[in-house]
Amino acid sequence: GLFFATNLFANVKLPAIFSDNMVLQQQSKVAVWGWADPGERITITGSWSAKSVSLTADATGNWKGFLQTPKAGGPYTLKIKGKNSIELSDVLIGEVWVCSGQSNMVMAVKASENAKAEIAAADLPLIRYFSVKRQYGPQEFNDAPGSLWEKTSPQNAGTFSAVAYYFAKKIHKDLNVPVGIVYAAWGGTPAEAWTQETVLKNDPLLSVYIDRWKKIQDDVGKDSVAYYAAVSKWKKDSTASKKPAEPQTFFYYKRPWRQPAVLYNGMINPVIPYSIKGFLWYQGESNVAYADEHYHLSSSMINSWRSKWSNNNLPFYFVQIAPFNYSNLDAAARLRESQYQVMQNIPNTGMAITVDIGNMKNQHPVKKKEVGERLALIALNKTYGFKNTVFAGPTFKKAIIDKEKVHVIFDQKLFTTNNQKAGGFEIGYKEAGSDSLQFGKAEATIENMEVLVWNTKVQQPLFIRYAWVNIAEANLLNNEGLPAFPFSNEIKIIKK
């Protein structure tokens, strides 16, 4: 009868994201939350201020308070006192960013270009990295136990997300403040897995993702029966051709973490409402097959994350999917176009372009420093007020025809990589008696802020596109070396 005494009082408990070495967002009211006995009185104190915050745990034992943080600095301590006391040490105050997405966000520093030298020099104790442990499921998780904050050093930097690391390194250097990265990413995952279930369910355009998944679950049984019958037939008669291919439903069935909403549940929900400056996102490769749905899915996910963090203005900066030899190059181009439309239409977003750093043979290009730094340029200009920092490459303005040559006008002065000829342009035309557009490669020369584009075989150009299907040849840059945005557009016909 002695054991009961220890169970009478539930100790105050914090989620994993509150620990030693953490970074809190500067100059904001940061949320601090956890669990305790219902009705338990909790006091939260940050050593940077004499003021503490007191509150009472609700009927279910949940509590949440808000603490005002000062300008960047530290180290400080954070004290949470209820029936027991927790003291967190080496707490820094600075800039906190959530970094999420699929394998190109996952790719570690050690797998990226110039890794050895980079890791050796990664003695950056003011950059802290919190990796959300991989977990997924049909219900929303309220914690990610086992995840922890680490100080960046040559011992651990090699395992960090390269994009997140290079981003953090640049803003740390330019702002001269501590940086906290909350990393939650998983390779080969589609955007719907990172989107809250209610958002998908309540939108007829998005519930299709839930229906598709259900169909996969429904079909995998009969696919399995048919497949194993075919395999056993093939084994008996090995003179037959190659082994039957696994049904596509198997691919999904073996990867339950691709299911709609499950990664939002397991890896995003546990860190809400931790106070942050914004989001970085590198994903899209797994949604190429449904490129035409991408804009709506992507913008809905962004809006829902912002609303869960109770701030509809949180910056959301993302990376354009890199050039790669997808089985459907046009679908990949349409996905990039939809990413461009998100950047154009959803406030406080920005896109880092990767036209020039991809590899048609490898979906995981190793040039991650460029990606992280391009995201940092966007943040420096748009979030941190460095108005002279150029963060975007040349953008298409209009295309006008004059004597069979198309004048493509951009908003910045144009250059090409290593002074080569301008590449990556195609001209669209219709053949006599046909209604469908054909595209042919085009010649191009640069004149300051415009490009003259032509194809001697095409007398009546109707459409122009750049970095679309022959993205590998696209080589337009601005003075800072940032690539031009891909585009596809009708040509305005101006009669001289």
Side-chain angles (χ1 to χ4, degrees):
L2 293 175
F3 62 87
F4 65 88
T6 54
N7 292 345
L8 282 179
F9 306 116
N11 276 339
V12 172
K13 211 172 140 292
L14 294 169
I17 195 161
F18 289 93
S19 74
D20 296 342
N21 307 321
M22 70 195 288
V23 181
L24 293 171
Q25 180 58 42
Q26 67 169 324
Q27 294 179 299
S28 52
K29 277 201 170 330
V30 301
V32 182
W33 74 94
W35 306 278
D37 273 342
E40 190 170 338
R41 197 93 186 111
I42 314 283
T43 308
I44 310 166
T45 317
S47 66
W48 56 87
S49 163
K51 275 196 198 133
S52 52
V53 171
S54 288
L55 49 100
T56 306
D58 70 14
T60 54
N62 290 298
W63 57 267
K64 179 168 78 172
F66 292 90
L67 208 54
Q68 181 63 46
T69 54
K71 271 194 172 136
Y76 296 109
T77 58
L78 180 65
K79 221 185 205 150
I80 293 91
K81 194 175 168 347
K83 290 173 178 160
N84 58 311
S85 274
I86 300 171
E87 183 164 309
L88 306 179
S89 63
D90 199 0
V91 174
L92 298 180
I93 304 226
E95 294 296 304
V96 183
W97 288 79
V98 167
C99 300
S100 185
Q102 63 178 109
S103 54
N104 275 305
M105 181 60 86
V106 173
M107 185 190 268
V109 174
K110 65 183 174 202
S112 68
E113 198 175 61
N114 197 23
K116 246 180 115 154
E118 195 53 57
I119 292 166
D123 184 16
L124 298 162
L126 298 184
I127 296 177
R128 308 286 171 89
Y129 189 85
F130 180 84
S131 175
V132 180
K133 201 181 73 193
R134 288 190 173 183
Q135 50 180 24
Y136 64 92
Q139 266 78 44
E140 293 183 349
F141 291 62
N142 63 8
D143 196 10
S147 312
L148 39 97
W149 282 98
E150 299 176 80
K151 297 184 194 190
T152 305
S153 72
Q155 284 67 50
N156 60 14
T159 64
F160 293 177
S161 154
V163 169
Y165 166 83
Y166 285 114
F167 170 85
K169 188 178 169 185
K170 180 152 180 63
I171 68 163
H172 169 58
K173 181 174 168 283
D174 290 10
L175 300 174
N176 196 21
V177 298
V179 177
I181 292 295
V182 176
Y183 161 82
W186 193 319
T189 56
E192 61 270 21
W194 296 97
T195 307
Q196 200 188 5
E197 189 173 30
T198 51
V199 172
L200 300 170
K201 266 198 172 141
N202 299 337
D203 182 332
L205 293 178
L206 298 178
S207 59
V208 49
Y209 290 101
I210 293 172
D211 301 341
R212 266 184 210 137
W213 189 268
K214 192 176 175 322
K215 184 158 169 44
I216 288 163
Q217 304 304 298
D218 292 347
D219 290 353
V220 76
K222 57 178 189 283
D223 286 357
S224 164
V225 173
Y227 171 67
Y228 288 115
V231 168
S232 95
K233 192 174 165 204
W234 169 80
K235 278 185 178 151
K236 284 197 186 85
D237 181 13
S238 54
T239 57
S241 57
K242 57 182 197 293
K243 185 179 176 180
E246 270 195 6
Q248 215 210 353
T249 49
F250 276 36
F251 176 83
Y252 292 96
Y253 191 71
K254 290 176 179 166
R255 292 167 178 78
W257 53 86
R258 291 178 60 112
Q259 186 172 343
V262 296
L263 293 177
Y264 170 85
N265 291 343
M267 297 177 72
I268 300 299
N269 199 64
V271 297
I272 298 170
Y274 196 78
S275 299
I276 61 172
K277 193 64 171 192
F279 305 101
L280 304 180
W281 175 252
Y282 194 161
Q283 192 278 341
E285 298 88 348
S286 287
N287 288 85
V288 165
Y290 298 107
D292 298 336
E293 300 168 6
H294 177 266
Y295 177 84
H296 186 61
L297 173 60
S298 185
S299 48
S300 303
M301 188 198 89
I302 294 169
N303 292 334
S304 87
W305 282 22
R306 285 171 167 173
S307 87
K308 293 299 285 185
W309 258 275
S310 310
N311 179 350
N312 293 327
N313 291 319
L314 280 175
F316 192 100
Y317 302 141
F318 56 93
V319 184
Q320 174 193 52
I321 63 166
F324 174 66
N325 202 5
Y326 289 96
S327 57
N328 184 341
L329 287 174
D330 191 61
R334 292 200 314 275
L335 189 117
R336 286 186 199 99
E337 175 60 20
S338 114
Q339 291 180 307
Y340 181 78
Q341 294 304 330
V342 168
M343 177 195 80
Q344 293 291 79
N345 299 323
I346 307 293
N348 252 352
T349 58
M351 176 167 74
I353 305 291
T354 54
V355 174
D356 57 328
I357 51 185
N359 175 343
M360 291 304 275
K361 295 190 180 75
N362 182 357
Q363 212 172 349
H364 305 109
V366 294
K367 291 182 180 291
K368 291 292 186 268
K369 182 176 193 214
E370 290 84 339
V371 177
E373 290 186 347
R374 284 172 190 180
L375 288 166
L377 292 174
I378 299 171
L380 288 166
N381 179 297
K382 289 169 69 91
T383 304
Y384 296 115
F386 286 59
K387 288 301 166 214
N388 296 331
T389 296
V390 177
F391 67 93
T395 305
F396 166 83
K397 297 297 247 198
K398 59 185 175 194
I400 296 166
I401 188 152
D402 179 23
K403 302 191 189 59
E404 283 144 39
K405 283 196 176 170
V406 184
H407 293 247
V408 184
I409 296 137
F410 286 83
D411 68 343
Q412 296 177 38
K413 198 169 173 193
L414 299 154
F415 303 88
T416 59
T417 12
N418 312 326
N419 296 322
Q420 298 153 320
K421 259 177 38 181
F425 282 95
E426 294 167 285
I427 279 179
Y429 58 94
K430 284 181 182 165
E431 281 176 343
S434 158
D435 259 355
S436 60
L437 269 179
Q438 306 284 316
F439 279 90
K441 267 194 181 179
E443 299 285 309
T445 59
I446 291 179
E447 298 184 357
N448 201 355
M449 286 167 81
E450 60 179 65
V451 186
L452 288 186
V453 185
W454 71 94
N455 176 331
T456 47
K457 296 195 185 85
V458 177
Q459 259 60 64
Q460 281 192 302
L462 301 172
F463 228 84
I464 182 119
R465 61 192 195 184
Y466 168 74
W468 204 255
V469 294
N470 53 349
I471 187 166
E473 290 150 45
N475 61 355
L476 296 180
L477 309 162
N478 66 9
N479 204 12
E480 275 81 10
L482 295 172
F485 289 87
F487 70 87
S488 175
N489 234 79
E490 275 179 273
I491 294 165
K492 289 203 171 62
I493 298 183
I494 294 180
K495 293 274 182 274
K496 292 272 175 188

